[in-house]
């Protein structure tokens, strides 16, 4: 307190030099002390800001390390500078202020200011960690945004408890013990947060969803790319560029389709049917077979099948003119063989994945002839172009094989 007395004497002597009589417990002395304290705090803040935005900034920009660039970009250094004036007020108030009430108020203001600055700096630091993580390879395995938000929430809660304890002059442990009485209310208030946190752990552990995945959530009308997996919400940018926001816990409680497997595979599936008019299906005659032999993709197939069928008919002593008992090729079977060969020679179809042309059970719309293969190019626009080219060709080849695609005709007069 001796230093206190000396500082008080300096202020009193200064006023005496100006011809004023001031006591150390008067209002003028208190105003002067507070003003001097604020000036010291402001001066310390300016000096720290100059140091952090001057020399330190040049060091950051000249450094090859990217971490300090991220810290500077998110304003971590700038926010840390606010802690210094709070410390000046907290430490110097005992040297300038003698009024216990004013001293207590300044101490509380300094603590609150320091905690708010610490929360702001911690938030910027966590944002930096999030950006660095998202730029790394680890981000492809599990999202971290939810955990970052939990960290921010924890910092805010701790700072809030400390601020309240400082204002009430109570121990933080006493406040924590009092929270047990309102547990039900807290659970109700933080229900989404708790569910989101638990869901985030399961999502990260099981690698269910990550930023950049294409997901479908029919219940919420979301169909697009995941922009962010947060603590309580997930943002999905739909293909029409709208943004859908869904609860995080819905990813594990509701039906969801994730197309990541397709994106990471070697191809994108093409699975579509052409409905063949059953009235156009028939056996191939000699003229048709002669025409089919001119088609490059199936000329060897025709020769092989004809030899196979001739051998069978001879073995069974069946005259080839016996239409009821002899085995013959059909136009629909020959078309299937042609489409398989066509796909085998298609440069944009992945030949290492499943490839087939099959018949599905007939319906009232005709006989579905399904093409099942995988496009080597998974880009949406390129994929649709490849799929369109394949079915353009398949539809155009139907008349060559004497087949027709089913098309419902209206009975109403035109």
């Amino acid at each position: 307190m001796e230093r206190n007395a000396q500082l008080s004497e300096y202020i009193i002597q200064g006023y005496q030099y100006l011809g004023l009589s001031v006591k150390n417990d008067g209002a003028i002395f208190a105003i002067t002390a507070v003003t001097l304290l604020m000036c010291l705090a402001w001066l310390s803040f300016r000096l720290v800001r100059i140091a952090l935005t001057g020399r330190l900034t040049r060091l950051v920009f000249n450094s090859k390390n990217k971490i300090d660039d991220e810290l500077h970009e998110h304003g971590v250094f700038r926010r840390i500078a606010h802690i210094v004036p709070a410390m000046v007020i907290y430490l110097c108030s005992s040297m300038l202020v003698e009024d216990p009430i004013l001293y207590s108020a300044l101490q509380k203001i300094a603590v609150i200011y320091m905690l708010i600055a610490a929360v702001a700096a911690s938030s910027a630091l966590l944002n930096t960690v999030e950006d660095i993580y998202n730029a790394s390879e680890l981000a492809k395995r599990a999202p971290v945004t939810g955990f970052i938000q939990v960290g921010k929430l924890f910092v805010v809660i701790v700072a809030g408890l400390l601020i309240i304890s400082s204002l009430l002059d109570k121990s933080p442990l006493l406040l924590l013990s009092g929270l047990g009485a309102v547990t039900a209310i807290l659970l109700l208030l933080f229900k989404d947060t708790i569910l989101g946190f638990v869901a985030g752990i399961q999502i990260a552990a099981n690698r269910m969803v990550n930023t950049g995945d294409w997901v479908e959530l029919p219940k919420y009308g979301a169909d697009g790319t995941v922009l962010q997996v947060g603590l309580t919400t997930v943002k999905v940018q739909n293909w029409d560029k709208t943004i859908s926001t869904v609860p995080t816990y819905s990813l594990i409680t509701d039906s969801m389709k994730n197309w990541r497997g397709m994106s990471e595979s070697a191809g994108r599936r093409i699975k579509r049917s052409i409905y063949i008019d059953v009235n156009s299906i028939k056996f191939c005659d000699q003229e048709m077979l002669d025409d089919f032999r001119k088609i490059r993709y199936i000329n060897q197939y025709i020769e092989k099948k004809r030899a196979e069928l001739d051998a069978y008919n001879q073995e069974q002593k069946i005259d080839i003119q016996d239409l009821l008992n002899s085995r013959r090729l059909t136009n629909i079977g020959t078309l299937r063989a042609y489409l398989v060969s066509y796909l085998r020679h298609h440069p944009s179809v992945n030949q290492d994945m499943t490839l087939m042309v099959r018949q599905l059970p007939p319906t009232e719309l005709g006989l579905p002839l399904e093409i099942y293969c995988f496009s080597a190019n998974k880009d949406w626009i390129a994929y649709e172009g490849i799929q369109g080219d394949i079915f353009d060709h398949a539809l155009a080849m139907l008349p060559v094989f004497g087949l027709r695609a089913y098309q419902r005709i209206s009975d109403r007069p035109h």
Side-chain angles (χ1 to χ4, degrees):
M1 299 300 297
E2 180 180 354
R3 188 175 181 182
N4 242 359
Q6 291 180 354
L7 290 175
S8 301
E9 289 296 327
Y10 290 151
I11 295 175
I12 293 173
Q13 290 176 7
Y15 275 108
Q16 289 177 350
Y17 180 78
L18 296 174
L20 297 175
S21 177
V22 175
K23 296 181 179 181
N24 56 8
D25 56 351
I28 297 178
F29 179 86
I31 294 174
T32 304
V34 171
T35 303
L36 181 59
L37 193 60
M38 294 300 109
C39 290
L40 289 174
W42 178 84
L43 181 61
S44 64
F45 174 72
R46 294 301 301 173
L47 292 175
V48 173
R49 282 291 300 270
I50 292 173
L52 293 179
T53 59
R55 184 175 180 181
L56 182 59
T57 301
R58 289 193 296 271
L59 292 175
V60 168
F61 289 151
N62 293 331
S63 173
K64 296 181 180 180
N65 194 339
K66 298 298 181 181
I67 298 179
D68 51 6
D69 294 337
E70 292 289 340
L71 291 171
H72 183 271
E73 182 179 349
H74 286 87
V76 176
F77 304 127
R78 185 175 63 253
R79 298 184 184 187
I80 289 177
H82 285 275
I83 299 178
V84 176
M87 295 180 64
V88 170
I89 295 175
Y90 185 83
L91 296 175
C92 295
S93 57
S94 61
M95 303 178 185
L96 294 173
V97 179
E98 296 187 359
D99 186 357
I101 298 177
L102 180 60
Y103 171 75
S104 177
L106 288 174
Q107 290 282 295
K108 292 179 180 180
I109 291 173
V111 170
I112 293 173
Y113 183 16
M114 194 182 308
L115 289 173
I116 293 175
V119 169
S122 299
S123 177
L125 181 61
L126 289 173
N127 290 335
T128 303
V129 173
E130 181 181 7
D131 284 355
I132 294 175
Y133 179 87
N134 290 335
S136 67
E137 292 296 325
L138 294 175
K140 298 179 180 179
R141 300 182 180 181
V144 76
T145 303
F147 299 103
I148 293 295
Q149 291 177 346
V150 170
K152 292 180 180 179
L153 181 61
F154 177 77
V155 171
V156 170
I157 291 175
V158 171
L161 289 174
L162 293 176
I163 289 174
I164 294 174
S165 65
S166 176
L167 291 174
L168 300 178
D169 289 328
K170 300 292 184 181
S171 171
L173 297 178
L174 184 61
L175 293 177
L176 286 175
S177 62
L179 292 177
V182 291
T183 302
I185 299 176
L186 292 176
L187 289 176
L188 182 62
L189 291 175
F190 293 99
K191 182 191 72 172
D192 291 339
T193 302
I194 296 171
L195 291 175
F197 178 66
V198 175
I201 295 175
Q202 296 184 28
I203 290 170
N206 299 319
R207 297 189 60 194
M208 295 173 59
V209 179
N210 202 355
T211 305
D213 287 353
W214 171 14
V215 298
E216 289 185 39
L217 291 160
K219 179 178 178 180
Y220 299 93
D223 182 9
T225 305
V226 176
L227 297 180
Q228 185 184 66
V229 181
L231 176 60
T232 57
T233 59
V234 176
K235 293 182 180 179
V236 180
Q237 185 176 52
N238 301 308
W239 298 119
D240 58 358
K241 300 305 179 182
T242 58
I243 304 295
S244 294
T245 303
V246 300
T248 302
Y249 58 82
S250 66
L251 299 182
I252 61 175
T253 58
D254 298 322
S255 174
M256 179 195 67
K257 179 187 287 187
N258 192 333
W259 291 80
R260 184 201 303 159
M262 179 275 295
S263 302
E264 295 177 350
S265 69
R268 185 170 180 176
R269 188 180 69 174
I270 296 174
K271 183 177 180 290
R272 185 182 293 180
S273 299
I274 299 174
Y275 285 85
I276 305 297
D277 188 346
V278 294
N279 295 314
S280 64
I281 300 175
K282 58 186 176 181
F283 288 111
C284 298
D285 55 26
Q286 188 61 42
E287 182 180 356
M288 293 176 67
L289 293 176
D290 291 338
D291 291 337
F292 294 160
R293 289 176 60 187
K294 299 176 184 178
I295 302 177
R296 178 167 59 95
Y297 287 152
I298 57 172
N299 53 6
Q300 294 183 359
Y301 168 82
I302 296 296
E303 294 296 338
K304 179 181 178 181
K305 294 298 290 187
R306 287 185 64 179
E308 179 183 329
L309 296 180
D310 289 343
Y312 174 83
N313 292 329
Q314 290 177 6
E315 181 182 347
Q316 299 296 323
K317 298 180 181 181
I318 301 174
D319 189 352
I320 194 173
Q321 301 299 326
D322 187 351
L323 302 182
L324 294 177
N325 297 309
S326 62
R327 287 179 58 189
R328 292 189 295 164
L329 293 173
T330 62
N331 57 350
I332 185 71
T334 308
L335 174 63
R336 284 193 296 111
Y338 169 78
L339 291 177
V340 169
S341 181
Y342 169 75
L343 294 173
R344 289 294 182 192
H345 289 85
H346 200 293
S348 298
V349 174
N350 191 317
Q351 304 300 321
D352 297 326
M353 302 184 74
T354 305
L355 188 156
M356 62 179 172
V357 179
R358 62 175 180 170
Q359 294 180 13
L360 300 179
T363 69
E364 70 277 7
L365 301 178
L367 177 66
L369 189 66
E370 183 183 80
I371 293 178
Y372 191 106
C373 61
F374 288 82
S375 166
N377 193 326
K378 295 173 289 185
D379 181 73
W380 187 17
I381 296 177
Y383 162 80
E384 292 293 347
I386 294 168
Q387 182 173 239
D389 290 342
I390 290 174
F391 280 89
D392 288 347
H393 183 82
L395 289 168
M397 289 298 291
L398 291 181
V400 176
F401 291 86
L403 294 165
R404 294 188 305 272
Y406 177 85
Q407 183 171 319
R408 181 177 293 166
I409 301 175
S410 174
D411 294 332
R412 294 178 300 176
H414 296 286

